[in-house]
Amino acid sequence: MQIGLHLPDLTYPDGPAALADDLTRIVVAAEDAGFARVSVMDHVWQIAVHGPPEHDMLEAYTTLGFIAARTSRVELLSWVTAVSYRAPGMLAKLVSTLDVLSGGRAWLGVGAAWNAEEAAGLGLDFPPLAQRFEMLEETVQICRQMWDPTDDGPYDGTHYHLGRTLNVPAPLHQPKILIGGGGEKKTLRLVAKYADACNIVDGPELEHKLAVLRGHCETEGRDYGEIEKTVQVTLDLDDGVAPFIATLERLAALGVDSIQGKLPGVWETERIERFGREIIPAAAEL
C-alpha cells in the first residue's frame, strides 16, 4: 500500500511570508520519507472541515508547479480539480505542462465540483449538478484526446467545442486520471469507464461502494483490478502506531491500494519523518 501526503491546510504558524519556505521543507521531507505523492486542494477559499474561508489558500496548479521544482520523485496532483473552474482544453494543457516540467509526475485528479459559495464569491462557473457531471465526462474525453500525440483533431461535445486539440509538447507519460467521489450512479460509473483511480471516503459504506464500482466495471467491460482504489485517511498517530497499521490492514483487506491524507501539524517535519520510519515501510508490505 502506498501513502500520499495531502496538503489541504496552508495556514501555518509563521504566516504567508514564510509559506514558500514551509512548503519547501514539507515536500522535501515527504519525498525523503518515502511518500508516494503529494496533493493539494482545488479550492480558492478554505473549506469548513479545515477552517474558516478566510484561512490561507493557494491556487492549485501554481502550487503544484512550485512543488514540482522542489522535488524529483513524488507524484503530483490536485485532489481534486473542480471541473467547472477551468476550460478543459486549458486544464489538459496545465496537466501536460506540469508533467513535462516535473519529469513525468503529473496526475489529473478531477471531480464534479461542489463549493457553490466560493464559486459565487469569485465569479467562477458553477452550473447545475447534472450539467457538471456531463462536463466532467467531456473534460476527461478532451484530456485523453489532447494527451494523445497522434490526435490533434477537433472535439465536438454538448458543452465543449474545440477546433483543434493541438498540445505540444505532449506529456512525457499519459497522466493518470483520478475521479473523486463516491456517487453510485454517476461518479463510480465514470470511474469504471475512464479513470485510473477512484477516491472513496473511508466509512461504513466503503465495502459497498467498491462493490458498486466492480459492478460498473462489469457493465463497461473494464478490469476492476486496473483501477487504483484510494481512500482519504487522516495521518494521525496520536493513538499510536499499532492502531494506524490496523486501519491500513483493514483497508488493504477490502482491496484499497493507497491512502492520501492530511498530517496534523505537518509544518513540524519530524511528524513526516516519523511516518517515514514507522508507517511507510510497514504499509509497503500490505
Side-chain angles (χ1 to χ4, degrees):
M1 180 180 289
Q2 294 186 318
I3 298 182
L5 181 64
H6 186 47
L7 300 175
D9 183 358
L10 302 173
T11 299
Y12 300 151
D14 292 331
L19 189 48
D21 289 340
D22 285 340
L23 271 178
T24 299
R25 288 190 303 103
I26 289 165
V27 299
V28 169
E31 183 161 87
D32 290 344
F35 281 84
R37 56 188 68 111
V38 173
S39 63
V40 299
M41 294 198 302
D42 188 28
H43 287 288
V44 290
W45 295 353
Q46 183 55 276
I47 61 176
V49 69
H50 300 299
E54 294 81 10
H55 272 195
D56 296 328
M57 182 54 57
L58 300 176
E59 192 280 322
Y61 283 92
T62 309
T63 306
L64 289 172
F66 177 90
I67 294 171
R70 283 145 182 85
T71 56
S72 60
R73 182 189 57 78
V74 288
E75 297 171 323
L76 305 165
L77 74 158
S78 169
W79 202 290
V80 296
T81 307
V83 72
S84 55
Y85 286 6
R86 300 168 187 81
M90 181 57 73
L91 178 59
K93 189 68 177 180
L94 284 167
V95 176
S96 298
T97 300
L98 179 64
D99 193 71
V100 170
L101 296 183
S102 69
R105 295 184 281 138
W107 284 42
L108 170 64
V110 66
W114 62 268
N115 198 328
E117 183 180 8
E118 69 176 8
L122 296 195
L124 304 174
D125 288 342
F126 198 78
L129 181 59
Q131 182 177 333
R132 298 200 309 274
F133 270 106
E134 294 170 358
M135 293 163 63
L136 176 58
E137 183 164 15
E138 291 191 12
T139 292
V140 173
Q141 292 171 350
I142 290 165
C143 287
R144 281 189 163 184
Q145 182 169 328
M146 286 187 60
W147 296 337
D148 180 353
T150 69
D151 185 0
D152 67 353
Y155 176 89
D156 191 27
T158 300
H159 301 285
Y160 300 114
H161 307 275
L162 285 71
R164 184 186 181 192
T165 54
L166 179 67
N167 183 33
V168 181
L172 301 184
H173 79 317
Q174 183 82 358
K176 291 183 179 180
I177 297 173
L178 177 146
I179 295 178
E184 297 181 15
K185 293 182 179 180
K186 294 183 178 180
T187 303
L188 294 180
R189 178 186 65 81
L190 292 176
V191 170
K193 190 171 183 178
Y194 296 108
D196 301 289
C198 65
N199 176 51
I200 301 174
V201 173
D202 180 24
E205 292 192 329
L206 175 59
E207 187 172 4
H208 168 70
K209 298 286 187 181
L210 292 173
V212 171
L213 175 59
R214 187 186 293 274
H216 283 305
C217 286
E218 292 172 357
T219 300
E220 296 292 337
R222 179 83 185 277
D223 181 356
Y224 174 77
E226 290 180 354
I227 299 171
E228 181 176 333
K229 291 81 180 176
T230 74
V231 170
Q232 281 192 291
V233 175
T234 300
L235 307 182
D236 191 346
L237 299 182
D238 284 351
D239 294 331
V241 170
F244 194 86
I245 295 295
T247 295
L248 299 185
E249 291 172 340
R250 172 180 60 82
L251 294 173
L254 294 176
V256 173
D257 301 298
S258 63
I259 64 169
Q260 193 80 2
K262 172 186 176 180
L263 178 59
V266 69
W267 58 86
E268 298 173 352
T269 53
E270 59 269 22
R271 296 173 181 264
I272 298 172
E273 293 161 5
R274 184 184 181 193
F275 253 82
R277 292 190 309 268
E278 302 184 36
I279 301 297
I280 291 174
E285 301 298 321
L286 299 178

